[in-house]
Amino acid sequence: MRKFTFEQVDAFVAVVEAGSFSAAARLLRKDKSSIHQLVSYLEIELGIELFNREKKLPRLRPEAKNIYNYSKLLLEQHKEIQSLADNLFHGIENSLTISYDVVIPHQVIVDISSHQNSHHHKFTGYAKTKQQLLMH
């Protein structure tokens, strides 16, 4: 089984998004050679070349596009797990239940949901009628 690290994946994603090893190094506050090494080790572990390095700037190989997409997802999930663990450690609730009346305009709920999703954990919810709220 091949093993890779979050640090290697983070370097890979940074190179793709920043467009170069140098820019990724600045973004991650590491030196360029460390970024090169992390990505090279990831390529060894995965058994494929992730970038075409024939020109000055690295270009993501088409066959590595899915690996990039999954890498981004992996890093997001890693952040979510870390955030949940931090919240548990500090005794912070991980969920919030909001009840509202159906007379509240739907756009207000959408705006609250968007704000919550962009600043905190993902918001999931649904509208209930007054009668359903009273029965629960």
Side-chain angles (χ1 to χ4, degrees), residues 7-59:
E7 190 177 22
Q8 291 168 341
V9 173
D10 197 26
F12 165 58
V13 169
V15 171
V16 173
E17 293 180 354
S20 72
F21 287 92
S22 297
R26 287 189 298 276
L27 182 69
L28 297 177
R29 297 185 178 166
K30 295 183 181 291
D31 61 279
K32 183 178 160 184
S33 63
S34 294
I35 300 299
H36 268 287
Q37 188 176 40
L38 287 166
V39 172
S40 294
Y41 285 154
L42 179 61
E43 289 175 322
I44 290 167
E45 292 300 324
L46 297 176
I48 66 165
E49 287 186 41
L50 299 168
F51 294 102
N52 181 343
R53 295 179 176 90
E54 293 173 0
K55 298 189 179 188
K56 183 179 178 182
L57 296 175
R59 285 192 348 248

Short mmCIF file of all heavy atoms in Angstrom, two decimals, residues 7-59:
data_model
loop_
_atom_site.label_atom_id
_atom_site.label_comp_id
_atom_site.label_asym_id
_atom_site.label_seq_id
_atom_site.Cartn_x
_atom_site.Cartn_y
_atom_site.Cartn_z
N GLU A 7 1.09 16.79 4.02
CA GLU A 7 2.03 17.84 3.62
C GLU A 7 2.37 17.72 2.13
O GLU A 7 2.45 18.73 1.42
CB GLU A 7 3.29 17.76 4.48
CG GLU A 7 4.20 18.95 4.30
CD GLU A 7 5.41 18.91 5.21
OE1 GLU A 7 5.81 17.82 5.69
OE2 GLU A 7 5.98 19.99 5.44
N GLN A 8 2.53 16.50 1.64
CA GLN A 8 2.80 16.29 0.22
C GLN A 8 1.60 16.71 -0.62
O GLN A 8 1.76 17.39 -1.64
CB GLN A 8 3.13 14.81 -0.05
CG GLN A 8 4.44 14.36 0.53
CD GLN A 8 4.59 12.85 0.50
OE1 GLN A 8 3.61 12.11 0.37
NE2 GLN A 8 5.82 12.37 0.64
N VAL A 9 0.42 16.33 -0.19
CA VAL A 9 -0.80 16.69 -0.91
C VAL A 9 -1.00 18.20 -0.90
O VAL A 9 -1.36 18.80 -1.92
CB VAL A 9 -2.02 15.95 -0.32
CG1 VAL A 9 -3.32 16.44 -0.94
CG2 VAL A 9 -1.88 14.44 -0.49
N ASP A 10 -0.75 18.82 0.24
CA ASP A 10 -0.87 20.26 0.36
C ASP A 10 0.08 20.96 -0.61
O ASP A 10 -0.30 21.94 -1.27
CB ASP A 10 -0.59 20.68 1.80
CG ASP A 10 -1.08 22.07 2.14
OD1 ASP A 10 -2.04 22.55 1.48
OD2 ASP A 10 -0.52 22.68 3.07
N ALA A 11 1.30 20.49 -0.71
CA ALA A 11 2.28 21.07 -1.64
C ALA A 11 1.82 20.91 -3.08
O ALA A 11 1.90 21.85 -3.88
CB ALA A 11 3.65 20.43 -1.43
N PHE A 12 1.32 19.73 -3.41
CA PHE A 12 0.82 19.46 -4.76
C PHE A 12 -0.31 20.43 -5.13
O PHE A 12 -0.28 21.08 -6.17
CB PHE A 12 0.35 18.00 -4.85
CG PHE A 12 -0.50 17.68 -6.04
CD1 PHE A 12 -0.04 17.87 -7.33
CD2 PHE A 12 -1.77 17.14 -5.88
CE1 PHE A 12 -0.82 17.56 -8.44
CE2 PHE A 12 -2.56 16.82 -6.96
CZ PHE A 12 -2.09 17.04 -8.25
N VAL A 13 -1.30 20.55 -4.26
CA VAL A 13 -2.43 21.45 -4.51
C VAL A 13 -1.95 22.89 -4.62
O VAL A 13 -2.40 23.64 -5.50
CB VAL A 13 -3.51 21.28 -3.42
CG1 VAL A 13 -4.56 22.38 -3.51
CG2 VAL A 13 -4.16 19.91 -3.53
N ALA A 14 -1.02 23.27 -3.77
CA ALA A 14 -0.50 24.64 -3.81
C ALA A 14 0.20 24.93 -5.14
O ALA A 14 0.04 26.02 -5.70
CB ALA A 14 0.45 24.88 -2.64
N VAL A 15 0.95 23.98 -5.66
CA VAL A 15 1.63 24.18 -6.95
C VAL A 15 0.60 24.35 -8.06
O VAL A 15 0.72 25.25 -8.90
CB VAL A 15 2.60 23.02 -7.27
CG1 VAL A 15 3.13 23.13 -8.69
CG2 VAL A 15 3.76 23.00 -6.28
N VAL A 16 -0.43 23.51 -8.05
CA VAL A 16 -1.46 23.62 -9.08
C VAL A 16 -2.13 24.99 -9.00
O VAL A 16 -2.28 25.68 -10.00
CB VAL A 16 -2.52 22.50 -8.93
CG1 VAL A 16 -3.69 22.73 -9.90
CG2 VAL A 16 -1.91 21.13 -9.16
N GLU A 17 -2.52 25.39 -7.81
CA GLU A 17 -3.28 26.63 -7.65
C GLU A 17 -2.43 27.89 -7.79
O GLU A 17 -2.91 28.90 -8.29
CB GLU A 17 -4.03 26.60 -6.32
CG GLU A 17 -5.12 25.53 -6.34
CD GLU A 17 -5.91 25.42 -5.06
OE1 GLU A 17 -5.57 26.09 -4.06
OE2 GLU A 17 -6.89 24.65 -5.07
N ALA A 18 -1.18 27.81 -7.36
CA ALA A 18 -0.30 28.99 -7.46
C ALA A 18 0.35 29.10 -8.83
O ALA A 18 0.78 30.18 -9.22
CB ALA A 18 0.76 28.93 -6.36
N GLY A 19 0.45 27.98 -9.54
CA GLY A 19 0.99 28.01 -10.90
C GLY A 19 2.47 27.75 -11.02
O GLY A 19 2.98 27.61 -12.12
N SER A 20 3.18 27.71 -9.88
CA SER A 20 4.61 27.42 -9.93
C SER A 20 5.08 26.91 -8.57
O SER A 20 4.39 27.09 -7.56
CB SER A 20 5.41 28.66 -10.32
OG SER A 20 5.43 29.59 -9.25
N PHE A 21 6.25 26.30 -8.57
CA PHE A 21 6.82 25.82 -7.31
C PHE A 21 7.23 26.99 -6.42
O PHE A 21 7.05 26.95 -5.21
CB PHE A 21 8.02 24.91 -7.58
CG PHE A 21 7.63 23.56 -8.12
CD1 PHE A 21 7.56 23.33 -9.48
CD2 PHE A 21 7.32 22.52 -7.26
CE1 PHE A 21 7.18 22.10 -9.98
CE2 PHE A 21 6.94 21.27 -7.75
CZ PHE A 21 6.87 21.07 -9.12
N SER A 22 7.73 28.05 -7.04
CA SER A 22 8.14 29.23 -6.27
C SER A 22 6.95 29.89 -5.59
O SER A 22 7.00 30.25 -4.42
CB SER A 22 8.83 30.25 -7.17
OG SER A 22 10.01 29.70 -7.71
N ALA A 23 5.87 30.07 -6.35
CA ALA A 23 4.68 30.70 -5.79
C ALA A 23 4.06 29.83 -4.70
O ALA A 23 3.60 30.33 -3.68
CB ALA A 23 3.66 30.99 -6.89
N ALA A 24 4.08 28.52 -4.90
CA ALA A 24 3.57 27.59 -3.88
C ALA A 24 4.41 27.67 -2.62
O ALA A 24 3.89 27.63 -1.50
CB ALA A 24 3.55 26.17 -4.42
N ALA A 25 5.71 27.81 -2.79
CA ALA A 25 6.61 27.92 -1.64
C ALA A 25 6.29 29.18 -0.84
O ALA A 25 6.23 29.14 0.40
CB ALA A 25 8.07 27.95 -2.12
N ARG A 26 6.06 30.28 -1.52
CA ARG A 26 5.68 31.52 -0.82
C ARG A 26 4.34 31.35 -0.11
O ARG A 26 4.18 31.76 1.05
CB ARG A 26 5.62 32.70 -1.81
CG ARG A 26 6.98 33.17 -2.27
CD ARG A 26 6.90 34.47 -3.05
NE ARG A 26 6.11 34.36 -4.28
CZ ARG A 26 6.58 33.93 -5.44
NH1 ARG A 26 7.85 33.56 -5.55
NH2 ARG A 26 5.80 33.87 -6.50
N LEU A 27 3.40 30.72 -0.78
CA LEU A 27 2.07 30.51 -0.21
C LEU A 27 2.14 29.66 1.06
O LEU A 27 1.47 29.96 2.05
CB LEU A 27 1.17 29.82 -1.25
CG LEU A 27 -0.26 29.56 -0.88
CD1 LEU A 27 -1.04 30.88 -0.79
CD2 LEU A 27 -0.92 28.66 -1.92
N LEU A 28 2.95 28.62 1.03
CA LEU A 28 3.06 27.70 2.17
C LEU A 28 4.17 28.08 3.15
O LEU A 28 4.40 27.38 4.14
CB LEU A 28 3.27 26.26 1.68
CG LEU A 28 2.13 25.68 0.84
CD1 LEU A 28 2.50 24.29 0.34
CD2 LEU A 28 0.84 25.66 1.63
N ARG A 29 4.89 29.16 2.82
CA ARG A 29 5.99 29.63 3.67
C ARG A 29 7.06 28.55 3.87
O ARG A 29 7.50 28.27 4.98
CB ARG A 29 5.47 30.14 5.00
CG ARG A 29 4.58 31.34 4.80
CD ARG A 29 4.13 31.95 6.05
NE ARG A 29 3.33 33.12 5.69
CZ ARG A 29 2.55 33.74 6.51
NH1 ARG A 29 2.46 33.35 7.74
NH2 ARG A 29 1.86 34.77 6.11
N LYS A 30 7.43 27.96 2.74
CA LYS A 30 8.50 26.96 2.72
C LYS A 30 9.45 27.36 1.60
O LYS A 30 9.13 28.20 0.77
CB LYS A 30 7.93 25.57 2.43
CG LYS A 30 7.01 25.02 3.50
CD LYS A 30 6.56 23.62 3.15
CE LYS A 30 5.63 23.06 4.18
NZ LYS A 30 6.25 22.76 5.45
N ASP A 31 10.62 26.75 1.58
CA ASP A 31 11.52 27.07 0.48
C ASP A 31 11.15 26.21 -0.73
O ASP A 31 10.53 25.16 -0.62
CB ASP A 31 12.99 26.89 0.88
CG ASP A 31 13.32 25.49 1.31
OD1 ASP A 31 13.03 25.15 2.47
OD2 ASP A 31 13.85 24.73 0.47
N LYS A 32 11.54 26.71 -1.90
CA LYS A 32 11.18 26.08 -3.17
C LYS A 32 11.65 24.63 -3.24
O LYS A 32 10.92 23.76 -3.73
CB LYS A 32 11.77 26.90 -4.31
CG LYS A 32 11.42 26.42 -5.69
CD LYS A 32 12.03 27.36 -6.73
CE LYS A 32 12.14 26.71 -8.06
NZ LYS A 32 12.80 27.57 -9.04
N SER A 33 12.82 24.34 -2.73
CA SER A 33 13.34 22.97 -2.81
C SER A 33 12.50 22.01 -1.96
O SER A 33 12.32 20.84 -2.33
CB SER A 33 14.81 22.91 -2.39
OG SER A 33 14.97 23.30 -1.04
N SER A 34 11.95 22.49 -0.86
CA SER A 34 11.07 21.65 -0.04
C SER A 34 9.80 21.29 -0.80
O SER A 34 9.32 20.15 -0.74
CB SER A 34 10.69 22.35 1.26
OG SER A 34 11.81 22.53 2.07
N ILE A 35 9.25 22.26 -1.51
CA ILE A 35 8.04 22.02 -2.29
C ILE A 35 8.34 21.02 -3.40
O ILE A 35 7.58 20.07 -3.62
CB ILE A 35 7.47 23.34 -2.88
CG1 ILE A 35 7.11 24.31 -1.75
CG2 ILE A 35 6.27 23.06 -3.78
CD1 ILE A 35 6.06 23.81 -0.78
N HIS A 36 9.45 21.21 -4.10
CA HIS A 36 9.87 20.25 -5.14
C HIS A 36 9.98 18.85 -4.55
O HIS A 36 9.49 17.88 -5.15
CB HIS A 36 11.23 20.65 -5.72
CG HIS A 36 11.15 21.51 -6.93
ND1 HIS A 36 10.76 21.06 -8.15
CD2 HIS A 36 11.41 22.83 -7.09
CE1 HIS A 36 10.79 22.04 -9.03
NE2 HIS A 36 11.18 23.14 -8.40
N GLN A 37 10.63 18.75 -3.42
CA GLN A 37 10.84 17.45 -2.79
C GLN A 37 9.52 16.80 -2.37
O GLN A 37 9.30 15.61 -2.60
CB GLN A 37 11.76 17.60 -1.58
CG GLN A 37 12.19 16.29 -0.96
CD GLN A 37 13.18 16.52 0.17
OE1 GLN A 37 13.03 17.45 0.94
NE2 GLN A 37 14.17 15.65 0.25
N LEU A 38 8.63 17.57 -1.76
CA LEU A 38 7.33 17.03 -1.33
C LEU A 38 6.53 16.50 -2.52
O LEU A 38 5.97 15.40 -2.47
CB LEU A 38 6.53 18.10 -0.59
CG LEU A 38 7.02 18.44 0.82
CD1 LEU A 38 6.38 19.74 1.31
CD2 LEU A 38 6.74 17.29 1.78
N VAL A 39 6.50 17.28 -3.61
CA VAL A 39 5.75 16.85 -4.80
C VAL A 39 6.43 15.64 -5.44
O VAL A 39 5.75 14.69 -5.85
CB VAL A 39 5.59 18.01 -5.79
CG1 VAL A 39 4.99 17.52 -7.11
CG2 VAL A 39 4.71 19.10 -5.19
N SER A 40 7.74 15.63 -5.48
CA SER A 40 8.47 14.48 -6.05
C SER A 40 8.20 13.21 -5.26
O SER A 40 7.97 12.14 -5.84
CB SER A 40 9.98 14.76 -6.08
OG SER A 40 10.26 15.80 -6.98
N TYR A 41 8.20 13.31 -3.94
CA TYR A 41 7.90 12.14 -3.11
C TYR A 41 6.46 11.67 -3.31
O TYR A 41 6.18 10.48 -3.32
CB TYR A 41 8.16 12.42 -1.63
CG TYR A 41 9.63 12.45 -1.25
CD1 TYR A 41 10.06 13.18 -0.16
CD2 TYR A 41 10.58 11.76 -1.98
CE1 TYR A 41 11.39 13.23 0.20
CE2 TYR A 41 11.92 11.79 -1.64
CZ TYR A 41 12.32 12.53 -0.54
OH TYR A 41 13.66 12.55 -0.19
N LEU A 42 5.54 12.61 -3.48
CA LEU A 42 4.15 12.24 -3.75
C LEU A 42 4.06 11.50 -5.08
O LEU A 42 3.38 10.47 -5.18
CB LEU A 42 3.25 13.49 -3.77
CG LEU A 42 1.77 13.24 -4.05
CD1 LEU A 42 1.15 12.34 -2.99
CD2 LEU A 42 1.02 14.56 -4.13
N GLU A 43 4.77 11.99 -6.08
CA GLU A 43 4.77 11.32 -7.38
C GLU A 43 5.33 9.90 -7.26
O GLU A 43 4.79 8.96 -7.86
CB GLU A 43 5.58 12.13 -8.39
CG GLU A 43 4.89 13.41 -8.81
CD GLU A 43 5.72 14.28 -9.72
OE1 GLU A 43 6.96 14.37 -9.52
OE2 GLU A 43 5.14 14.88 -10.64
N ILE A 44 6.37 9.74 -6.46
CA ILE A 44 6.95 8.41 -6.25
C ILE A 44 5.93 7.50 -5.57
O ILE A 44 5.73 6.35 -5.99
CB ILE A 44 8.25 8.50 -5.43
CG1 ILE A 44 9.35 9.16 -6.27
CG2 ILE A 44 8.68 7.13 -4.93
CD1 ILE A 44 10.58 9.59 -5.46
N GLU A 45 5.28 8.00 -4.53
CA GLU A 45 4.30 7.20 -3.80
C GLU A 45 3.12 6.80 -4.68
O GLU A 45 2.61 5.69 -4.58
CB GLU A 45 3.81 7.95 -2.56
CG GLU A 45 4.84 8.12 -1.47
CD GLU A 45 5.38 6.81 -0.94
OE1 GLU A 45 4.63 5.82 -0.84
OE2 GLU A 45 6.59 6.76 -0.62
N LEU A 46 2.69 7.72 -5.53
CA LEU A 46 1.54 7.45 -6.39
C LEU A 46 1.93 6.67 -7.65
O LEU A 46 1.08 6.06 -8.30
CB LEU A 46 0.85 8.76 -6.79
CG LEU A 46 0.24 9.57 -5.64
CD1 LEU A 46 -0.33 10.88 -6.18
CD2 LEU A 46 -0.84 8.78 -4.92
N GLY A 47 3.20 6.74 -7.99
CA GLY A 47 3.68 6.02 -9.16
C GLY A 47 3.36 6.71 -10.48
O GLY A 47 3.37 6.05 -11.53
N ILE A 48 3.09 8.01 -10.46
CA ILE A 48 2.83 8.76 -11.69
C ILE A 48 3.44 10.14 -11.60
O ILE A 48 3.65 10.66 -10.51
CB ILE A 48 1.32 8.90 -12.00
CG1 ILE A 48 0.62 9.76 -10.96
CG2 ILE A 48 0.64 7.56 -12.14
CD1 ILE A 48 -0.75 10.24 -11.41
N GLU A 49 3.70 10.73 -12.77
CA GLU A 49 4.13 12.12 -12.81
C GLU A 49 2.89 12.99 -12.81
O GLU A 49 1.98 12.79 -13.61
CB GLU A 49 4.97 12.39 -14.06
CG GLU A 49 6.35 11.80 -13.99
CD GLU A 49 7.20 12.22 -15.19
OE1 GLU A 49 7.12 13.41 -15.59
OE2 GLU A 49 7.90 11.36 -15.70
N LEU A 50 2.84 13.95 -11.89
CA LEU A 50 1.68 14.82 -11.77
C LEU A 50 1.76 16.03 -12.68
O LEU A 50 0.73 16.56 -13.11
CB LEU A 50 1.52 15.27 -10.31
CG LEU A 50 1.30 14.13 -9.31
CD1 LEU A 50 1.44 14.63 -7.88
CD2 LEU A 50 -0.06 13.48 -9.54
N PHE A 51 2.99 16.47 -12.95
CA PHE A 51 3.19 17.68 -13.75
C PHE A 51 4.03 17.39 -14.98
O PHE A 51 4.93 16.56 -14.96
CB PHE A 51 3.91 18.75 -12.91
CG PHE A 51 3.11 19.27 -11.77
CD1 PHE A 51 3.35 18.83 -10.48
CD2 PHE A 51 2.10 20.20 -11.97
CE1 PHE A 51 2.62 19.31 -9.41
CE2 PHE A 51 1.36 20.69 -10.91
CZ PHE A 51 1.61 20.24 -9.63
N ASN A 52 3.76 18.17 -16.01
CA ASN A 52 4.62 18.22 -17.17
C ASN A 52 5.60 19.35 -16.88
O ASN A 52 5.19 20.50 -16.72
CB ASN A 52 3.79 18.50 -18.43
CG ASN A 52 4.62 18.55 -19.67
OD1 ASN A 52 5.85 18.69 -19.61
ND2 ASN A 52 3.97 18.44 -20.81
N ARG A 53 6.89 19.04 -16.79
CA ARG A 53 7.90 20.04 -16.43
C ARG A 53 8.78 20.43 -17.61
O ARG A 53 9.89 20.91 -17.43
CB ARG A 53 8.76 19.49 -15.29
CG ARG A 53 8.00 19.28 -13.99
CD ARG A 53 8.93 18.71 -12.93
NE ARG A 53 8.32 18.57 -11.65
CZ ARG A 53 7.67 17.49 -11.22
NH1 ARG A 53 7.52 16.45 -12.02
NH2 ARG A 53 7.17 17.44 -10.01
N GLU A 54 8.29 20.23 -18.82
CA GLU A 54 9.10 20.52 -20.01
C GLU A 54 9.31 22.02 -20.20
O GLU A 54 10.30 22.43 -20.79
CB GLU A 54 8.43 19.92 -21.25
CG GLU A 54 8.43 18.41 -21.25
CD GLU A 54 7.62 17.83 -22.39
OE1 GLU A 54 7.04 18.61 -23.19
OE2 GLU A 54 7.55 16.60 -22.47
N LYS A 55 8.39 22.83 -19.74
CA LYS A 55 8.52 24.28 -19.90
C LYS A 55 8.86 24.89 -18.55
O LYS A 55 9.03 24.19 -17.55
CB LYS A 55 7.22 24.86 -20.45
CG LYS A 55 6.91 24.31 -21.82
CD LYS A 55 5.78 25.00 -22.47
CE LYS A 55 5.59 24.37 -23.85
NZ LYS A 55 4.66 25.04 -24.66
N LYS A 56 8.96 26.20 -18.52
CA LYS A 56 9.37 26.90 -17.30
C LYS A 56 8.41 26.65 -16.14
O LYS A 56 8.84 26.38 -15.01
CB LYS A 56 9.47 28.40 -17.58
CG LYS A 56 9.95 29.20 -16.40
CD LYS A 56 10.07 30.66 -16.73
CE LYS A 56 10.51 31.41 -15.47
NZ LYS A 56 10.59 32.84 -15.72
N LEU A 57 7.11 26.73 -16.42
CA LEU A 57 6.12 26.52 -15.37
C LEU A 57 5.54 25.10 -15.44
O LEU A 57 5.28 24.60 -16.54
CB LEU A 57 4.99 27.54 -15.50
CG LEU A 57 5.40 29.00 -15.31
CD1 LEU A 57 4.20 29.91 -15.57
CD2 LEU A 57 5.95 29.23 -13.92
N PRO A 58 5.34 24.47 -14.30
CA PRO A 58 4.77 23.11 -14.32
C PRO A 58 3.31 23.16 -14.77
O PRO A 58 2.56 24.06 -14.40
CB PRO A 58 4.88 22.67 -12.86
CG PRO A 58 4.89 23.93 -12.07
CD PRO A 58 5.56 24.95 -12.94
N ARG A 59 2.93 22.19 -15.59
CA ARG A 59 1.54 22.06 -16.03
C ARG A 59 1.00 20.74 -15.54
O ARG A 59 1.64 19.69 -15.71
CB ARG A 59 1.45 22.13 -17.55
CG ARG A 59 1.65 23.52 -18.11
CD ARG A 59 1.27 23.63 -19.60
NE ARG A 59 1.07 22.36 -20.27
CZ ARG A 59 1.86 21.88 -21.23
NH1 ARG A 59 2.91 22.56 -21.62
NH2 ARG A 59 1.59 20.73 -21.79
#
